[in-house]
Amino acid sequence: MITIYKEKKDIPANKEYIEWNDIFFNQHTASKMDERASQIIKEIDCAEHISKYKIQSRFEETVLDIDRLSAGCKTVLNVMYNPDKVFCMKECGSNALEILYSLPKGLVYSDYALIPFNMKEVRIQSQNTDRVIDSYEELKRWWCNEE
């Protein structure tokens, strides 16, 4: 399950925080990708991962460089291939959020609520809290400081 931080000050000092997913993906994650990336790319961007650095777009089946993936797709792939780093999740659309929340592990940050309706469970961490939440409403209350 992923771990969510809602304030930057709560990110542990020994964890690197990545704000710009697009740049990090292009410089680091793209070279790590293997067959696990293909399903993620298909589900989020409706594209085919046809070689290490190429995708086939759903639009006229155009072949594009891997750096043309959406920011949401890059964010999910960053989290999946770099589970020891904390990634900003603000660029994720609803399709990417669904997959992000289903990852077996990963660290993400957002100072405002980004929650898919069918979330299962996540770990939340702040100065006073470290627990698992398995309810959309409960997670929303935590993010909005209502608990």
Side-chain angles (χ1 to χ4, degrees), residues 119-122 124 131-135 138-139 142:
M119 62 147 299
K120 296 207 181 353
E121 66 179 9
V122 297
I124 57 167
R131 65 187 170 102
V132 174
I133 291 180
D134 62 1
S135 154
E138 187 180 357
L139 183 57
W142 171 76

Side-chain angles (χ1 to χ4, degrees), residues 1 4 17 19 43 45 48 58 92 97 111 113 115 140:
M1 99 184 68
I4 300 172
Y17 171 65
E19 181 85 25
E43 288 182 41
D45 284 356
E48 291 291 324
R58 66 182 170 187
C92 290
L97 283 174
D111 55 354
I115 312 167
K140 186 175 176 186

Side-chain angles (χ1 to χ4, degrees), residues 40-93:
I40 302 288
I41 292 168
K42 182 186 255 351
E43 288 182 41
I44 296 174
D45 284 356
C46 301
E48 291 291 324
H49 186 213
I50 58 175
S51 69
K52 184 87 170 167
Y53 298 107
K54 298 287 183 186
I55 58 170
Q56 184 173 1
S57 169
R58 66 182 170 187
F59 303 108
E60 299 179 11
E61 300 180 351
T62 305
V63 175
L64 302 168
D65 290 335
I66 199 86
D67 68 339
R68 301 300 300 256
L69 290 170
S70 69
C73 188
K74 288 179 179 183
T75 300
V76 172
L77 292 168
N78 281 341
V79 172
M80 186 170 89
Y81 285 98
N82 304 279
D84 59 325
K85 299 181 185 332
V86 180
F87 292 92
C88 180
M89 61 190 270
K90 293 179 182 180
E91 295 177 299
C92 290

